[in-house]
Amino acid sequence: MSLANEQKRLLEDLYEQMAPNFLTPLWEMLATLVKPEPSSPAASHRWSYREMRDFLLRAGDLISAEQAERRVLILENPTLPGLSAITPSLYAGLQMILPGEIAPAHRHSQCALRFVMEGSGAFTSVGGEKAIMNPFDLVLTPGGEWHDHGNPTDIPMIWLDGLDIPTVRLFDATFAEHLDSKVHPETMPPGSSLAAYGQNMRPMHGHTADYRPVAQPLFHYPFAKWRAALDGLARTSPIDPHLGHALEFLNPADGGAIMNTISAHVRLLPAGFSSAPRQSTDGTIFVVVEGEGTAQVGEREFALMPRDVVVVPSWSKLGLEARKDLVLFGFSDKVSQQKLGLYKEKCA
Ligand code: 1HN
């Protein structure tokens, strides 16, 4: 036996004897643990809204929102089965609440955002203040806040949920509880937080502070406002070759990201615009708000139609092409990565 073969045999013996003691050799693993650049276990994928919506309506015939607690179809990344993850750190689901239904009040450590897909007039109540929702509004439920949903209208309401479930799971730090009553008592009239904090101003003596956390006073970012801001930016600033016209949603309390673990932004790509390829370490979930175009993600190409959802994993090369004026909403774990000193991007 050659010396090399003899070494191999002895090492394999050693591994076999170590294994029952829960010990394994780093030198066999090092190359997969420490890589020159990210190679995400997540796949890129597009979910067609029309297809998801059909399944969700069928679920609506079979289970009530109250029975389900939340009637949601999870968008599971094709290469992360069983993990309730659309990227390694984030969760996404399509939720529906039918006329007359309520989704009972609870709170948990996880942060959530809602991005409205269709319906008008249903609400999410956060800490007892209702956000009356319209298509493409962004509504936040920061971790630890009581929230319930209700639909007093006569049409279904559907939105995309984005949560940091896999992040909180990673840190093993999850708590949750139900409220004694199904619905949180009203603490403030609808629109209070938006009036007080949604105009780049704040009340001089913090009258909402009893109900809304001082560190996170705003939880409703209406479509009408963000869409107008995007148009204003497009009229007044040169376009970014990699992003298009892009605006990030902010927490007015500190000028930082909207929540502790989730960042969100919107972009406008004018018809005929092609973005230069860009990579970033924050795997991102996009919702098509308006227009048509294509997303080139690495080697794959996805046609983009209104309300479709596309996931772009960490460090994938993304190029976007707008056939008609294309408006996108995106969310990611960028803020978590920045806090941990991990975030990187690269523009070609
Ligand atoms: C949750 O609280 C909601 O409040 C939706 O609508 C989806 C997924 C996992 C854990 C909590 C909601 C959720 C969730």
Side-chain angles (χ1 to χ4, degrees):
M1 195 183 284
S2 73
L3 220 54
N5 277 346
E6 174 66 0
Q7 187 203 21
K8 202 165 164 236
R9 197 184 59 77
L10 290 172
L11 279 172
E12 270 158 18
D13 271 1
L14 176 66
Y15 301 165
E16 216 170 284
Q17 288 165 37
M18 288 192 311
N21 298 293
F22 309 105
L23 292 167
T24 75
L26 172 64
W27 57 89
E28 297 287 344
M29 293 298 292
L30 201 50
T32 54
L33 295 176
V34 183
K35 294 180 190 163
E37 60 177 42
S39 58
S40 183
S44 57
H45 190 72
R46 178 199 49 210
W47 286 262
S48 139
Y49 183 68
R50 193 177 43 79
E51 286 171 17
M52 290 193 284
R53 183 182 192 277
D54 284 350
F55 287 119
L56 193 53
L57 287 169
R58 280 170 62 187
D61 290 335
L62 299 173
I63 187 162
S64 72
E66 210 176 322
Q67 233 184 339
E69 184 154 346
R70 298 294 188 262
R71 186 198 291 107
V72 182
L73 304 185
I74 300 173
L75 282 67
E76 192 172 65
N77 191 285
T79 55
L80 303 171
L83 294 175
S84 301
I86 189 161
T87 68
S89 65
L90 295 174
Y91 157 107
L94 196 68
Q95 177 158 186
M96 178 171 70
I97 179 154
L98 290 169
E101 286 190 324
I102 54 164
H106 68 191
R107 64 177 177 181
H108 39 68
S109 313
Q110 288 85 358
C111 294
L113 63 77
R114 331 275 166 203
F115 190 71
V116 178
M117 295 296 218
E118 66 172 84
S120 199
F123 64 83
T124 287
S125 151
V126 180
E129 183 188 335
K130 287 175 183 163
I132 314 284
M133 298 189 283
N134 288 297
F136 309 125
D137 283 5
L138 171 65
V139 176
L140 310 181
T141 310
E145 292 211 52
W146 292 110
H147 56 286
D148 52 83
H149 315 298
N151 185 354
T153 77
D154 56 10
I155 50 169
M157 183 102 193
I158 299 179
W159 63 77
L160 188 76
D161 289 315
L163 286 92
D164 57 359
I165 288 171
T167 302
V168 177
R169 183 169 55 205
L170 173 70
F171 290 113
D172 236 345
T174 185
F175 296 89
E177 59 186 318
H178 290 97
L179 193 64
D180 295 337
S181 59
K182 280 182 196 159
V183 175
H184 195 289
E186 185 154 301
T187 51
M188 301 280 287
S192 302
S193 301
L194 197 53
Y197 296 96
Q199 314 292 338
N200 231 356
M201 302 176 90
R202 65 183 175 202
M204 277 184 78
H205 55 141
H207 69 280
T208 60
D210 289 348
Y211 306 106
R212 304 232 37 86
V214 176
Q216 183 103 52
L218 186 64
F219 70 104
H220 190 185
Y221 299 74
F223 170 66
K225 280 177 172 272
W226 69 252
R227 186 67 184 82
L230 210 45
D231 270 342
L233 184 76
R235 274 196 307 273
T236 54
S237 301
I239 193 160
D240 181 288
H242 299 91
L243 296 170
H245 300 291
L247 285 172
E248 185 179 351
F249 292 99
L250 294 183
N251 174 358
D254 59 9
I258 45 165
M259 289 189 288
N260 284 328
T261 50
I262 306 181
S263 302
H265 74 276
V266 285
R267 319 180 176 194
L268 166 63
L269 286 70
F273 177 81
S274 276
S275 72
R278 175 176 179 273
Q279 290 163 280
S280 62
T281 51
D282 60 329
T284 303
I285 299 94
F286 289 100
V287 178
V288 183
V289 175
E290 292 169 22
E292 279 174 30
T294 52
Q296 179 83 36
V297 186
E299 299 302 306
R300 304 181 67 189
E301 194 172 289
F302 301 102
L304 302 175
M305 298 297 286
R307 295 183 173 79
D308 287 351
V309 177
V310 176
V311 61
V312 177
S314 167
W315 218 239
S316 305
K317 260 195 195 121
L318 173 65
L320 293 162
E321 212 179 298
R323 213 170 13 261
K324 297 182 184 164
D325 282 4
L326 189 61
V327 177
L328 303 175
F329 166 78
F331 69 97
S332 78
D333 63 9
K334 182 175 179 177
V335 58
S336 298
Q337 293 197 25
Q338 285 174 324
K339 286 175 186 166
L340 297 173
L342 295 170
Y343 181 74
K344 280 194 164 56
E345 57 187 48
K346 186 170 154 190
C347 294

